[in-house]
Amino acid sequence: MVTKSATYSSGQIKMIRLDYYAETAFVNGTLTIQLPSEITVTTADQVSFVGWRYITASEISNDGHTLTFTGINSSGDFAIALNNKTIPVQGNYDIFAQADADGTGDSYSGDSESVTLISE
């Protein structure tokens, strides 16, 4: 998983884009993103598996800090746009992703990635 922009200035209101690249196509796959407590996801944010769409309330949990997508059928390249987020105070903020290309199937094991958002 990579961020479109790695460095942000504290206090700015910005779109944070996360891109996840997998080596295999997803068939009924799952993707879970865990965000730090300083960044909250809402239904105004967007995800792209095949085309852009708004994130639904049922995909958001943990007070807006966890995203869970199931039943994914796509190439395995995804993007998430966290729109109009206030960049937190100076520091490093870890974002974790866990993906499984076949969900509960046995063909692929899960993959975990992390990226650090840097606020200056």
Side-chain angles (χ1 to χ4, degrees):
M1 181 174 61
V2 298
T3 57
K4 269 296 200 196
S5 299
T7 304
Y8 299 87
S9 295
S10 176
Q12 286 183 324
I13 296 177
K14 290 283 186 180
M15 186 267 288
I16 300 169
R17 179 168 164 165
L18 305 171
D19 291 289
Y20 184 90
Y21 303 103
E23 294 181 9
T24 187
F26 275 48
V27 177
N28 202 31
T30 61
L31 175 66
T32 302
I33 308 279
Q34 181 67 48
L35 297 161
S37 61
E38 296 82 2
I39 300 171
T40 302
V41 176
T42 70
T43 55
D45 298 317
Q46 296 175 293
V47 63
S48 175
F49 294 111
V50 177
W52 286 101
R53 67 169 178 80
Y54 287 99
I55 296 170
T56 66
S58 64
E59 295 168 327
I60 301 169
S61 61
N62 190 25
D63 294 324
H65 304 292
T66 302
L67 288 168
T68 304
F69 303 100
T70 59
I72 301 168
N73 295 296
S74 74
S75 67
D77 296 340
F78 319 121
I80 296 173
L82 305 174
N83 298 312
N84 299 313
K85 301 301 176 196
T86 301
I87 303 302
V89 297
Q90 195 170 28
N92 295 343
Y93 300 91
D94 292 326
I95 300 169
F96 299 96
Q98 184 168 356
D100 191 335
D102 64 352
T104 58
D106 295 337
S107 296
Y108 298 99
S109 59
D111 175 47
S112 296
E113 300 285 335
S114 67
V115 65
T116 301
L117 182 144
I118 301 169
S119 175
E120 296 184 335

